[in-house]
Structure formats: structure tokens, C-alpha cells
Amino acid sequence: MSLPPLIPRATLFGNPQRTSPRLSPDGKYLAYIAPDANNVLQVWLQEPGGDDRQLTQDKKRGIRSYFWTYQENQLIYLQDADGDENFHLYLVDVTTSMVRDLTPFQGVKANPIELDPDFPDRALVSLNLKDRQKFDVYSINLTTGAVEFDTDNPGNIVSWTADHQFQIRAATAATPDGGSELLYRATADDAWESLRRWGPDDEGGAVGFSKDGNTLYVVGTHDANAQRFIALDLAARTETVIAADPQYDISNIVTHPTEHTIQAVSVYKAKEEWTVLDEAIRGDFEALAQVRPGQFVISSRTTADDIWLVAYLTDDGPVYYYRYDRNRKDATYLFSNQPKLEDLALASMEPIEYQARDGLTIHGYLTLPVGIEAKNLPTVLFVHGGPWVRDMWGLNPPVQWLANRGYAVLQVNFRGSNGYGKDFLNAGNRQWGKTMHDDLIDAVDWLCNQGIADRTKVAIMGGSYGGYATLAGLTFTPDVFACGVDIVGPSNLITLIRSVPPYWQPMMAMFAHRVGDIETEEEMLKERSPLFFVDRIEKPLLIGQGANDPRVKEAESEQIVEAMHRAGKPVEYVLYTDEGHGFARPENRLHFYGIVEAFLAKYIGGRAEPAADVEGHCGVVK
């Protein structure tokens, strides 16, 4: 028994060959994202019977998000500057390749709200243009580029919902206690009224309107543990539960592209599970389930709803894209996002569960190396960010890379992760560095007790909250881990809270409830901050940080590196001058993961691809 050949880092962390295909609403065009001659991701167009054509000319960062408008031959892509997250919307004419910045405002972030086929020349967008702390609604004319003020944000609204007459008629607002409120108005001229409040231990918000505007669809955990999908009759003010699960939150919702009927709803257990509500698509879901193994996702549909684009996700291969003809119930293969992965010996991601020390059931995923016995393996505890998100099943490049190097990889949806109902989410309240961290330590014990992991060769690694968990692991439980890799993780909860972007202000009451109140609990926050416990660190630490990160500022890494240097503790630090909250450019990913690979090989003994010079990275090793 032996491990398969080393997979080059460039195969796993480089740009995809082609990804994110989208059909134009009329079905005339297929667009996708692919690298140009300079290896920068651009939007490309596949023309009927013609050659593929590059539409955009991004110079450096690469385009990762775009969507078609209902204006003929036009699409919009999003781009920020070096990771600052102040995204602009750029309109592209696919016939002329002309690009226009629709939101050319310095230091302003644009969030798309709505496009509608009945209003093809307009887009509703939220902008923090008048006040950096709040996002008002603007209507943008896609023909003239005119930006018109539409709806004022009183300061507490965090999301907007338009009806199908292109009027903003619902909103979800943050409340001073850390909860949220569902706001509604019958017309754009009416005052807002409150339809429902959710306390800080509940969650809820608006999803969308029915076509006639008489029903508002919402999700909420009120009167239940898990988030349910509900139809709210706006005349009678009565609620009807459309879909619910006792343990798992509603995950995704499929609606008809023009009728806006609810067609299918999913919950995400170990994998995503769909419930079809509209018989018109039941046969389509059954046909798509037979096309190939893996989980399918409908990524775009024509307005005529005759053609779908469908992506198939698996844990041990690339994403496969198909064009599905609904009339013929026939799927035609288009391409995979990374053909080099198709014939490699990739590892499977197995759902696991274990009991935490207080009896709570914790779920996660275990990925074991291919070709060797799962016994006394060097192991990486790979901790997700958020923390109010969760790990999911499917191909994960860092996980495959670690497994290929000979590591067992354990991903844990610790308490406070979402998707498992409000009781599980609330079990993480004010538990950063405490029971949330205990869940991670219990996961290590669980894996070691099975004989899979070598207790002396366990590393902890993660980004954002996962970076915090890494720092907590080396300070609060210094004997558990052999080393740690922190990517854009906060080291001091007090400075983290005081340095968030101004537009996070409405959400800070929720942050105070779930993490700790800086006004009344500063001492507790200090006790949960690894920065103040640097003297406990015994094992080597590697930190990667983006200089322009708006969420976890550069200072979060700088201050703990400085403290470790003063205390003579083992730390390596790499700062990427053109990145933000994570590493978007492939040159930077390849540079950083090359350093991580050598670091892990040195301290827990896995395999390593030889170091290589990476042209074009901006990493500064400090």
C-alpha cells in the first residue's frame, strides 16, 4: 500500500480551466469564467457556431462573480480593488465588448438586489453612498447608466426585498437586542410596518414575493427549532408552512424564473436533500439524478424555462457542467471546471458524527489519504470560518491537497455552525475559545481514540474564525497540537470588534449577543483573545494575512506576530499586499500553500512537493 503520486499544487490551487457557465435568459448565449493569456480570470462568451471570445479585460485580480441581465446582450460582473470588498458593478455589452462601471463611487460597496424580466433595462442595487454605515436602494438604468435614489434606509435595514412590479416592499432589519424584524409596506409611498420580530436567539427574514405580490415568502425559526420556509398571506396576515425539517434549517429554494412559484426546497444534512413541491419539475429532477453521480445544482435557466444549466458536484473530482433540454429530458455534457482532476486518485469525504463532552452530537467530515492504512496518521484539523456557516460535502482543494500529502483531514461543524437548527447555533453563543473550542478538541480525541490519528502529529489550520481557532488551539490548549496555520484570523476580539467596516454597524448587536458585548463584557472578550496568552504558546505557528482585509485587519496578525517575537516564540508570517480576507489570486495561493506544505512536512511529517518560485505573487515574508 502506498500513496498515489503527488498532485502538483498548481493543479489544485491554480485557476480553473473553465467555470461558472451561465445561459443568457433568451438562451442565445453561454458565458463562463476562464483565464486569459496572462492567467487572469475573465468572462468569456461561447457564441453559437463560433469561436469562444473573451469579453472582459480585468488586469490583475480576476473576475469571480457575474450574472446576465434581462437587457439583450448584456451581463454584469462584480469586482473590488485588491480585496477591499468595495465591489463595483460593471456592465458588459457582449456584442461590442464595451465595459462600463455602473457604480463608479470611491469607497462605496454595491450589492445587487433585483433584476426582473418585465423591467429589463433596470437593476435595483444597494449602495452605502450617502452614509458608509448603511445601504440605501438605488435604481440603475442599464441603458443610460443613470443612478437614481429609490428607498432610504433608516439605518437598521440589512436586506431588501422587491416585488415583481420592481418595488421595494419588504426588508429585514437588525434590532437593538441582536434579533431581527420583518418590515413591510403595501406600496412604495406607505410607511414601513412591522410584521414580525425575531429575538436574538431566533433567526428569520424575507425571501421574496409571489408574482401577484399578495404573498411574502419568509424563513424563520419562530415556533420551531429549525428554520422553516413559510408563506405569509399579506391580506389575512396568516402564515402557512411550506417546508420544514425538525433538525435542519431550510437551505436552498428553487423558484420558477417568470411565474415565481416555489418549485423545490432543500435542507442540508450530510448532503443536500431536495423536496420537490411543483409537479412540473418532478420529472426533471428524476431525470437529472440519473445523469451522473454526485449532487446536482441548477445554475441557470432560460426565461422560457426550456433549457437549464446544471452543475454536478462530487467529493473526488471536478465540477461537471451539463446543458439540460427539458422537452427532451436530455442532458448534454459541456465541460468540467478542472479536467486535470478527472483521472486523479482523489480522496472521498465521509460524513462523521461524535458526542461532545457535554453530550451534544457534532457532525463533520473525515477525508483519509488514498492508498494507505488509516492508522496513526498525521492529521490536520481544518476549521471553517464564519463561524456562523458550516462545512459541506464536495470537492475541497485544500482538503484534497492535504490528503494527497498523507494527512487525515477532519472538518468539524462545531456548535455555533449554522444549518442544524437554532438550539445548536445558540449553543455557541459567547463560547468563542470555550465550548466551541472544546468541540474541536473532542474531535481530535475522537479521531485519536479510533487509532486513525497520531496524537503527537495533529495540526490545526483554518481561515477567519478558523484562524482564530488555530490561535486559540496553540494558546488555550498548547499540548494538543503540534503546529498551527492561521489564515486571516483575529487575535484580539476587542480590536476585532472595534475595527469592523462601518457598514457592519447594524449587525454589531447580534455580534455582541453571539460573541460578547464590548461595552459590558470587555474582560470576558480579553480572556477569549489569544493575543493575551502568547506566553502559553509552545508549538510553531504560521500566519498568512491580506493587507487590505476589511473584516480582520492586518493589525490582528501583526500584533500577535510582534508579541511572539518579543516572547521568543516560533512564528512565521507572510503578508500579501494585494489581498483581502483570503487569497484570490492564484499566484498568492500557490506561494502561500507552498510555504504551508513545507511547514506541515517539517512539524507533522507529511509529504511535500519541492518548493518552487512563483512568479507574480506579492507575499512578503516577515
Side-chain angles (χ1 to χ4, degrees), residues 35-40 59 587:
D36 63 14
N38 297 315
N39 199 34
V40 177
K59 298 302 181 191
E587 297 86 353

Side-chain angles (χ1 to χ4, degrees), residues 9 401 405 407 593-601 607-609:
R9 285 189 295 274
W401 160 69
R405 273 40 176 178
Y407 302 112
Y593 282 117
I595 294 171
V596 175
E597 188 163 318
F599 179 84
L600 293 175
R607 300 192 299 174
E609 180 186 2

Side-chain angles (χ1 to χ4, degrees), residues 367-384:
T367 303
L368 296 171
V370 175
I372 59 173
E373 185 180 4
K375 187 175 181 181
N376 291 327
L377 295 173
T379 297
V380 177
L381 180 65
F382 191 42
V383 187
H384 70 66

